[in-house]
Amino acid sequence: MFNSKIEGFQSYVPLNTVSNEMLEKLVDTSSEWICSRTGILERRITLGENTSNLATEVCNKLLKNANITASEIDLILVATITSDYMMPSTACIVQSNIGANNAVAFDINAACSGFVYALSVADKFIKSGTYKNALVVGSETLSKIVDWTDRGTCVLFGDGAGGVLLSSTTENIGILNEDIHSRGSSWKSLRGGFVPLVNPFLENQEKNKEDCKNDYYLNMNGREVFNFATKTVPSSIQKLLDDAKISVDDIKYIVPHQANYRIIEVVAKKLNTTIDKFYLNLENYGNTSSASIPIALAEMKEKNLLHLGDKIVLTGFGAGLTWGSMLITI
Ligand code: 4VN
């Protein structure tokens, strides 16, 4: 039996920074409202790089830092809800860009839980002995599905990418346990990117397109999603703690999906811990969906906050509805 060790942490975000003040000029909102309701001060918005470009930068950084060549990579997983194309997968475009000619590459769509889901899938391939390593990336250009006239949502999201290199080990480290769930019955609570049916045999084609137009844009029932997150996330984390027979005090950091500061405050309270147990950087990036956890991890690595033996909990939650937590050691 093998375990997945996390060898490297990298991120790449577009250079273009958009402040709350800049959004005040676009929609009827205020910097104060955005900051107090969400904790977000600024976000990155792409000026041309698509999801595959961001993911490619992350993978090239991971390869460079690990001193491994692209052709040695066995698996490339890209978690995204904003792929360049419906086909091929973003992962295959990345495979081509980096020259990982021996890898298997595919995308995973689990929205804001995507990175945790992708780690889970990669871990199965490694645990089984099928593959010796994997590039696991979360990459999003949410700006292309955000309705820039909707002040309720456009202030929340940003673009970016982050990822890790997993490698097989026989030591008892790396990905230790996971808890992942889906509740498809609530899929309507958070959705976007709808592609309407079009074919010459359809009646009422124009009406059909019109009815569905609004579903292209990212839209959510904020209250429903907020309630879902504050209920499921604490119990998912608690399950991992119980399984490992440890308490929240034994965890160095909880790295949550960076959705909203207020959600994390409630989660902290329910776990009988304080907000400083959580690594948060949503003030600088907003909500980058599947990219938010790996961007946070890369920043923690950069700041020298990740030390050998530290126990870390990752927790993602979002559209699907999906949620998932993972206990890892560095
Ligand atoms: C998970 C969550 C959210 C989310 C939900 C609600 C919300 C983000 C509602 C109240 C509003 C401020 C914003 Cl929990 C989004 C995703 C998608 O990644 C995943 N913000 N808010 C207010 O009026 O205070």
Side-chain angles (χ1 to χ4, degrees):
M1 192 73 170
F2 302 98
N3 282 318
S4 307
K5 181 181 180 187
I6 306 177
E7 294 276 7
F9 305 82
Q10 294 292 337
S11 71
Y12 178 82
V13 294
L15 198 59
N16 178 45
T17 303
V18 174
S19 65
N20 290 347
E21 288 74 18
M22 290 161 84
L23 292 179
E24 286 177 353
K25 297 192 171 65
L26 213 63
V27 288
D28 182 14
T29 188
S30 74
S31 183
E32 203 282 316
W33 187 93
I34 301 170
C35 186
S36 65
R37 296 298 192 98
T38 70
I40 300 164
L41 300 178
E42 57 186 21
R43 70 287 291 142
R44 304 299 182 98
I45 301 295
T46 182
L47 294 179
E49 293 162 300
N50 212 327
T51 298
S52 68
N53 304 110
L54 305 181
T56 298
E57 297 290 336
V58 169
C59 289
N60 278 330
K61 281 169 128 181
L62 286 167
L63 293 175
K64 194 169 167 211
N65 270 274
N67 246 326
I68 179 174
T69 62
S71 53
E72 292 172 82
I73 296 296
D74 296 330
L75 177 66
I76 302 170
L77 296 183
V78 176
T80 187
I81 53 169
T82 49
S83 53
D84 296 18
Y85 295 89
M86 294 268 276
M87 67 159 190
S89 66
T90 299
C92 280
I93 301 175
V94 171
Q95 175 186 22
S96 166
N97 290 346
I98 67 173
N101 48 304
N102 293 310
V104 168
F106 61 97
D107 288 356
I108 286 180
N109 178 337
C112 310
S113 311
F115 184 70
V116 172
Y117 272 53
L119 279 181
S120 168
V121 172
D123 186 47
K124 303 298 172 294
F125 279 114
I126 288 175
K127 275 207 161 58
S128 66
T130 308
Y131 298 133
K132 289 286 166 215
N133 61 47
L135 292 168
V136 182
V137 181
S139 185
E140 305 286 5
T141 47
L142 294 171
S143 57
K144 69 189 181 189
I145 61 163
V146 158
D147 179 353
W148 289 100
T149 66
D150 175 16
R151 66 174 179 180
T153 53
C154 78
V155 302
L156 303 175
F157 299 98
D159 301 334
V164 297
L165 171 67
L166 299 182
S167 74
S168 177
T169 177
T170 50
E171 288 178 83
N172 196 25
I173 56 166
I175 296 174
L176 299 182
N177 198 8
E178 65 176 37
D179 176 59
I180 63 172
H181 299 274
S182 312
R183 189 199 294 157
S185 60
S186 302
W187 70 269
K188 286 185 177 169
S189 302
L190 180 47
R191 58 190 205 267
F194 185 74
V195 183
L197 290 175
V198 187
N199 70 56
F201 310 102
L202 265 178
E203 285 172 31
N204 279 333
Q205 250 192 83
E206 287 314 307
K207 185 189 171 300
N208 189 30
K209 262 201 247 176
E210 194 58 34
D211 286 349
C212 301
K213 207 170 68 186
N214 290 336
D215 254 10
Y216 176 74
Y217 294 115
L218 196 162
N219 61 85
M220 73 171 175
N221 183 325
R223 193 175 39 82
E224 260 174 42
V225 178
F226 193 103
N227 290 341
F228 144 78
T230 52
K231 228 178 236 134
T232 57
V233 173
S235 46
S236 174
I237 294 172
Q238 192 59 53
K239 179 174 189 308
L240 291 183
L241 299 176
D242 293 346
D243 278 3
K245 297 186 172 65
I246 57 176
S247 89
V248 72
D249 300 328
D250 299 314
I251 301 297
K252 188 73 183 285
Y253 283 108
I254 299 171
V255 186
H257 166 48
Q258 312 278 317
N260 179 318
Y261 186 83
R262 290 193 161 180
I263 291 166
I264 307 306
E265 277 183 326
V266 177
V267 172
K269 196 166 274 176
K270 288 197 176 180
L271 285 170
N272 288 318
T273 186
T274 49
I275 194 93
D276 49 283
K277 183 65 74 177
F278 293 76
Y279 187 83
L280 295 172
N281 64 359
L282 82 171
E283 62 266 33
N284 299 122
Y285 302 107
N287 178 342
T288 57
S289 192
S290 69
S292 83
I293 293 172
I295 291 173
L297 285 170
E299 201 172 275
M300 294 168 77
K301 180 74 181 171
E302 180 77 22
K303 290 183 176 171
N304 202 22
L305 297 176
L306 301 175
H307 300 288
L308 206 71
D310 284 351
K311 290 190 177 70
I312 311 276
V313 167
L314 315 179
T315 188
F317 46 94
L321 296 171
T322 58
W323 66 104
S325 305
M326 198 163 249
L327 176 66
I328 64 174
T329 57
I330 301 301

Coordinates of all heavy atoms in Angstrom, one line a residue, residues 33 37-38 112 152 156-157 190 220 222-223 225-226 228-229 257 259-260 262-263 287 289 317-319, ligand 1:
W33 N -19.5 47.6 2.0 CA -20.4 46.5 2.0 C -19.7 45.2 1.7 O -19.8 44.2 2.4 CB -21.6 46.8 1.0 CG -22.7 45.7 1.1 CD1 -23.8 45.8 1.9 CD2 -22.7 44.4 0.5 NE1 -24.5 44.6 1.7 CE2 -23.9 43.8 0.9 CE3 -21.8 43.8 -0.4 CZ2 -24.2 42.5 0.4 CZ3 -22.2 42.5 -0.8 CH2 -23.4 41.9 -0.4
R37 N -19.4 42.2 4.4 CA -20.2 41.1 4.2 C -19.4 39.8 3.8 O -19.8 38.7 3.9 CB -21.3 41.3 3.1 CG -22.3 42.4 3.5 CD -23.1 42.0 4.8 NE -24.2 42.8 5.0 CZ -25.4 42.5 4.6 NH1 -25.7 41.4 4.0 NH2 -26.4 43.3 4.8
T38 N -18.2 40.1 3.2 CA -17.5 38.9 2.6 C -16.0 38.8 3.0 O -15.5 37.7 3.0 CB -17.4 39.0 1.0 OG1 -16.6 40.1 0.6 CG2 -18.8 39.3 0.5
C112 N -16.5 24.2 -6.2 CA -15.5 24.6 -5.2 C -14.9 23.5 -4.4 O -13.9 23.7 -3.6 CB -16.2 25.6 -4.2 SG -17.0 26.9 -5.1
G152 N -24.8 41.4 -6.6 CA -24.8 40.4 -5.6 C -23.7 39.3 -5.8 O -23.3 38.7 -4.8
L156 N -17.9 38.8 -5.7 CA -17.5 37.7 -4.8 C -16.3 36.9 -5.5 O -15.5 36.3 -4.7 CB -18.6 36.7 -4.6 CG -19.9 37.3 -3.9 CD1 -21.0 36.2 -3.9 CD2 -19.6 37.8 -2.5
F157 N -16.2 36.9 -6.8 CA -15.4 35.9 -7.5 C -14.1 36.5 -8.1 O -14.0 37.7 -8.4 CB -16.2 35.2 -8.5 CG -17.4 34.5 -7.9 CD1 -18.6 35.0 -7.9 CD2 -17.2 33.2 -7.2 CE1 -19.7 34.4 -7.3 CE2 -18.2 32.6 -6.6 CZ -19.5 33.2 -6.6
L190 N -26.9 26.7 -6.7 CA -25.6 27.3 -7.2 C -25.3 26.8 -8.5 O -25.0 25.6 -8.6 CB -24.5 27.1 -6.1 CG -23.1 27.6 -6.3 CD1 -23.1 29.1 -6.7 CD2 -22.3 27.4 -5.1
M220 N -26.5 32.1 -7.6 CA -26.7 31.3 -6.4 C -27.7 31.9 -5.5 O -28.0 33.0 -5.4 CB -25.3 31.2 -5.7 CG -24.9 32.4 -4.9 SD -23.4 32.0 -3.9 CE -23.1 33.6 -3.3
G222 N -27.8 32.6 -2.2 CA -26.8 32.9 -1.1 C -27.2 32.3 0.2 O -26.3 31.7 0.9
R223 N -28.4 32.5 0.6 CA -28.8 32.1 2.0 C -28.8 30.6 2.1 O -28.3 30.0 3.0 CB -30.2 32.6 2.3 CG -30.7 32.5 3.7 CD -32.0 33.1 4.0 NE -33.0 32.9 2.8 CZ -33.7 31.7 2.7 NH1 -33.6 30.8 3.6 NH2 -34.5 31.6 1.6
V225 N -27.0 28.5 0.2 CA -25.6 28.0 0.2 C -24.9 28.3 1.5 O -24.1 27.4 2.0 CB -24.9 28.5 -1.0 CG1 -23.4 28.1 -1.1 CG2 -25.6 28.2 -2.3
F226 N -25.1 29.4 2.0 CA -24.5 29.8 3.3 C -24.9 28.8 4.4 O -24.1 28.2 5.2 CB -25.0 31.2 3.7 CG -24.3 31.8 4.9 CD1 -23.3 32.8 4.6 CD2 -24.5 31.5 6.2 CE1 -22.6 33.4 5.7 CE2 -23.8 32.0 7.2 CZ -22.9 33.0 7.0
F228 N -26.1 25.7 4.0 CA -25.5 24.4 3.6 C -24.1 24.3 4.1 O -23.7 23.4 4.8 CB -25.6 24.2 2.1 CG -24.4 23.5 1.5 CD1 -24.3 22.1 1.6 CD2 -23.4 24.2 0.8 CE1 -23.2 21.5 1.1 CE2 -22.3 23.6 0.3 CZ -22.2 22.2 0.4
A229 N -23.3 25.4 3.9 CA -21.9 25.3 4.2 C -21.7 25.3 5.7 O -20.8 24.5 6.2 CB -21.2 26.6 3.6
H257 N -12.1 26.4 1.6 CA -12.4 27.1 0.4 C -12.7 28.5 0.8 O -13.4 28.8 1.7 CB -13.6 26.4 -0.3 CG -14.3 27.3 -1.3 ND1 -13.5 27.9 -2.3 CD2 -15.5 27.6 -1.5 CE1 -14.3 28.6 -3.1 NE2 -15.6 28.4 -2.6
A259 N -14.6 31.2 0.5 CA -15.9 31.6 -0.1 C -16.3 33.0 0.5 O -16.8 33.9 -0.2 CB -17.0 30.6 0.1
N260 N -16.2 33.1 1.8 CA -16.8 34.2 2.5 C -16.3 34.1 4.0 O -16.4 33.1 4.7 CB -18.3 34.1 2.5 CG -19.0 35.2 3.2 OD1 -18.7 35.6 4.3 ND2 -20.1 35.7 2.6
R262 N -17.5 35.4 6.7 CA -18.6 35.1 7.7 C -18.9 33.6 7.8 O -19.2 33.2 8.9 CB -19.8 35.9 7.3 CG -19.6 37.4 7.5 CD -21.0 38.0 7.4 NE -21.0 39.3 8.0 CZ -22.0 40.1 8.1 NH1 -23.2 39.7 7.6 NH2 -22.0 41.3 8.6
I263 N -18.8 32.9 6.7 CA -19.0 31.4 6.8 C -18.0 30.8 7.6 O -18.3 30.0 8.5 CB -19.0 30.8 5.3 CG1 -20.2 31.3 4.6 CG2 -18.9 29.3 5.4 CD1 -20.1 31.1 3.1
N287 N -13.3 34.7 -4.2 CA -13.6 33.3 -4.3 C -13.1 32.8 -5.7 O -13.7 33.2 -6.7 CB -15.1 33.2 -4.1 CG -15.6 31.7 -4.2 OD1 -14.9 30.9 -4.7 ND2 -16.8 31.5 -3.7
S289 N -13.1 29.5 -6.5 CA -13.7 28.2 -6.6 C -12.6 27.1 -6.4 O -11.9 27.1 -5.4 CB -14.4 28.0 -8.0 OG -15.1 26.8 -8.0
F317 N -16.3 23.2 -0.4 CA -17.7 23.2 -0.4 C -18.3 24.1 -1.4 O -17.8 25.2 -1.6 CB -18.3 23.6 1.0 CG -17.7 24.8 1.6 CD1 -18.3 26.0 1.4 CD2 -16.5 24.7 2.3 CE1 -17.7 27.2 1.9 CE2 -15.8 25.9 2.8 CZ -16.4 27.1 2.6
G318 N -19.3 23.7 -2.1 CA -19.9 24.5 -3.2 C -20.9 23.8 -4.1 O -21.6 22.9 -3.6
A319 N -20.9 24.2 -5.3 CA -22.0 23.8 -6.2 C -22.0 22.3 -6.3 O -21.0 21.6 -6.2 CB -21.8 24.4 -7.6
Ligands
4VN1 C1 -19.8 28.3 -1.0 C2 -20.4 29.4 -0.5 C3 -20.6 30.6 -1.2 C4 -21.3 31.8 -0.7 C5 -22.5 31.8 -0.2 C6 -23.1 33.0 0.3 C7 -22.4 34.1 0.2 C8 -20.6 33.0 -0.7 C9 -24.4 35.4 0.9 C10 -24.8 36.5 1.8 C11 -24.2 37.8 1.3 C12 -22.7 37.8 1.2 C13 -22.3 36.6 0.3 CL1 -20.9 29.3 1.1 C14 -20.2 30.6 -2.5 C15 -19.6 29.5 -3.1 C16 -19.2 29.5 -4.5 O1 -17.9 29.3 -4.5 C17 -19.4 28.3 -2.3 N1 -21.2 34.1 -0.3 N2 -23.0 35.3 0.6 C18 -24.7 39.0 2.2 O2 -25.7 39.6 1.9 O3 -24.1 39.1 3.3

